[in-house]
Amino acid sequence: MNTLVALCAIGAEKTLGNEIKYLGYKLEGNAPGRVSFYGDDDALFRANLCLRTSDRVYLQMAKYKAEDFDALFDGVYNINWHDFYKKDVRVVVDKVRTYKSKLNSEHSIQGMVQKAIYKKLGDKWNMQTLPESGDESDVRIYIDKNEVLVLLDLSGLPLHKRGYRTDGGIAPLRETTASAMLQMMMWRRKTPLHDPFCGSGTIAIEACLYAHNIAPGFGRRFALENLAIYNKDRALKIRRAEAEQIRTDVECRITGSDIDSQAVARAKLNAEHACVMAGRALQEIGSDAKIERPDFVQSDFAELEAPYENGLILCNPPYGERLGDEEEAEKLYKKMNCIFKNFPGWEFGVITSHERFEEAIGKHAVMTKNLKAGNLETKFYMYSDKLGTKQQKRKN
């Protein structure tokens, strides 16, 4: 049994944990921005392929106490790195994070860890110098109150890079964040969904993948595939098993709009790439079924009217960084109040970094959630009776 660590936006740990449990794996614990869980050997590939809200998946190589560099070195050296790496590997200690620990120099920790890994590989392979001509492998170190966590990257590029988005436009929403928003709103495929600020189409596309049960990682490779432990035949079986789970018999009403015609064209192209990706996965199991594309149109959000009695408006409206002016963003949010009038009976979810969003739009959310992805701090405002009362919101 392996211990794996999945990273996510800070604030999305519970959502990611629910996803992990849905895949059948047992949670081990969590910390801000990461969730640990137990999984079999298949989980190394399957978690990367299937998790929608995780930004990276790591294999936990060791967990031990270290209050000095000798202990740090010994703990890393004792790991059987030679079982995981090919002889031409180039190891990079990409990040070090320390918290309330005696070892707190990130640069020195980075150098010591890399020295210990290469020393172990050299001793096992009887090599004075490693060629480092092959694929790069990243290692990450967390030291929390003198407890060292050594992690081996299994993902490579961040998992929000699904492979379908060729152009994200200005300040695009991460695919993993869009998926977290869908799950926090408890959206179901039978519920109509519309994004009135569709931009590159991320929210609608992620909803499409979710509705049709399409694993988000079908269109890309993972760092695991460069490691000596990678089982290509088993990975192919996992891909095919997940392709068998794709639902092509469901009817979805997933739409998006934007006042910018170039954004609409971009969203359509990205959606086409995503559905072609799913189509190739279906072809691997001998199916020629098609995935219904989300529908995108050019429109000012203020001119929209509800096409159905109920549904979900989910969006990432422009804010200061994208509009270039905080005052312009606030004017837009005040204008957005018309959505409540034009879409009576619909739920509403919006993510923004604007601190006065509720004041501007003129309505308090039932529930809010702080989300931090990378360096961007945002808040997700949820307007839905099924999420609880305003009293519950204050507790959250």
Side-chain angles (χ1 to χ4, degrees):
M1 190 62 67
N2 306 290
T3 301
L4 295 99
V5 178
L7 304 190
C8 63
I10 296 175
E13 297 86 1
K14 183 177 179 180
T15 302
L16 174 56
N18 288 336
E19 256 203 292
I20 291 168
K21 289 189 289 186
Y22 181 78
L23 288 180
Y25 303 124
K26 183 180 178 182
L27 300 183
E28 188 268 338
N30 63 57
R34 65 182 194 262
V35 179
S36 301
F37 63 101
Y38 302 112
D40 56 14
D41 289 346
D42 283 355
L44 277 61
F45 184 82
R46 188 165 173 250
N48 278 288
L49 181 68
C50 297
L51 289 176
R52 301 179 189 279
T53 61
S54 175
D55 287 311
R56 287 185 184 275
V57 176
Y58 290 90
L59 177 62
Q60 181 177 302
M61 305 297 286
K63 190 175 185 179
Y64 60 96
K65 288 283 186 180
E67 297 185 359
D68 55 45
F69 282 106
D70 287 340
L72 175 67
F73 181 95
D74 290 343
V76 175
Y77 183 87
N78 287 336
I79 299 169
N80 291 330
W81 296 102
H82 51 285
D83 291 338
F84 295 85
Y85 286 144
K86 300 174 184 177
K87 290 187 177 181
D88 61 354
V89 68
R90 181 163 62 92
V91 180
V92 175
V93 182
D94 70 327
K95 286 188 179 180
V96 172
R97 295 287 183 265
T98 66
Y99 175 73
K100 292 185 177 179
S101 299
K102 291 185 177 180
L103 296 173
N104 54 31
S105 170
E106 294 182 6
H107 181 73
S108 298
I109 293 168
Q110 193 174 30
M112 185 61 69
V113 169
Q114 190 148 7
K115 180 180 178 181
I117 294 173
Y118 276 106
K119 172 66 173 168
K120 182 60 171 277
L121 295 176
D123 289 350
K124 284 294 181 179
W125 292 336
N126 296 315
M127 301 170 69
Q128 293 293 326
T129 304
L130 271 65
E132 296 187 273
S133 57
D135 297 303
E136 178 181 309
S137 179
D138 291 342
V139 173
R140 184 167 295 196
I141 304 294
Y142 290 98
I143 307 181
D144 189 341
K145 297 178 182 177
N146 299 316
E147 186 172 66
V148 180
L149 194 62
V150 184
L151 305 177
L152 175 62
D153 182 22
L154 301 177
S155 299
L157 288 174
L159 294 178
H160 70 82
K161 295 181 180 293
R162 313 288 204 214
Y164 63 72
R165 192 165 70 179
T166 55
D167 184 0
I170 301 172
L173 181 70
R174 282 190 182 185
E175 292 85 340
T176 46
T177 303
S179 287
M181 291 164 59
L182 285 163
Q183 294 186 40
M184 288 178 183
M185 291 297 299
M186 296 188 287
W187 179 71
R188 295 294 178 262
R189 62 171 66 91
K190 67 180 181 180
T191 304
L193 181 143
H194 184 78
D195 178 1
F197 303 94
C198 68
S200 58
T202 303
I203 290 174
I205 295 169
E206 289 297 315
C208 178
L209 297 181
Y210 180 77
H212 293 280
N213 206 31
I214 300 166
F218 273 129
R220 52 162 291 166
R221 297 181 77 256
F222 308 109
L224 170 66
E225 297 174 52
N226 300 326
L227 299 177
I229 59 170
Y230 176 59
N231 186 329
K232 184 177 180 180
D233 291 338
R234 189 61 200 154
L236 182 59
K237 289 180 180 178
I238 295 170
R239 280 181 60 90
R240 287 176 175 169
E242 292 303 327
E244 293 279 2
Q245 300 301 314
I246 295 176
R247 296 283 304 276
T248 59
D249 59 342
V250 295
E251 291 185 10
C252 303
R253 291 165 288 184
I254 301 170
T255 55
S257 60
D258 203 289
I259 197 170
D260 183 356
S261 60
Q262 291 184 341
V264 173
R266 187 163 55 238
K268 288 180 177 179
L269 181 61
N270 290 338
E272 183 65 22
H273 290 161
C275 292
V276 167
M277 170 192 79
R280 288 173 180 160
L282 287 168
Q283 288 172 6
E284 291 183 19
I285 59 171
S287 171
D288 59 357
K290 304 297 183 184
I291 302 298
E292 182 182 1
R293 277 63 169 160
D295 189 26
F296 298 99
V297 297
Q298 182 182 5
S299 176
D300 186 326
F301 72 88
E303 298 174 358
L304 297 171
E305 293 183 356
Y308 307 103
E309 185 177 344
N310 52 54
L312 171 63
I313 293 285
L314 194 62
C315 60
N316 173 36
Y319 40 85
E321 181 181 350
R322 294 161 73 193
L323 287 177
D325 189 301
E326 287 287 336
E327 290 185 6
E328 287 297 315
E330 196 156 326
K331 289 179 183 178
L332 174 69
Y333 298 155
K334 288 180 180 179
K335 188 179 177 183
M336 281 176 62
N337 181 270
C338 70
I339 292 178
F340 296 113
K341 300 174 184 177
N342 297 343
F343 288 79
W346 282 50
E347 299 167 310
F348 180 43
V350 59
I351 189 168
T352 178
S353 63
H354 197 287
E355 294 180 357
R356 297 187 301 278
F357 172 77
E358 285 178 304
E359 179 183 341
I361 201 169
K363 190 169 183 177
H364 288 290
V366 171
M367 188 176 293
T368 64
K369 189 70 177 179
N370 292 319
L371 292 172
K372 182 179 180 181
N375 295 321
L376 182 61
E377 295 191 21
T378 59
K379 183 173 285 190
F380 184 37
Y381 297 88
M382 293 168 270
Y383 298 81
S384 172
D385 291 339
K386 70 184 181 186
L387 295 177
T389 66
K390 290 182 180 179
Q391 286 73 24
Q392 288 174 310
K393 170 206 164 184
R394 283 194 283 270
K395 291 180 182 178
N396 281 276

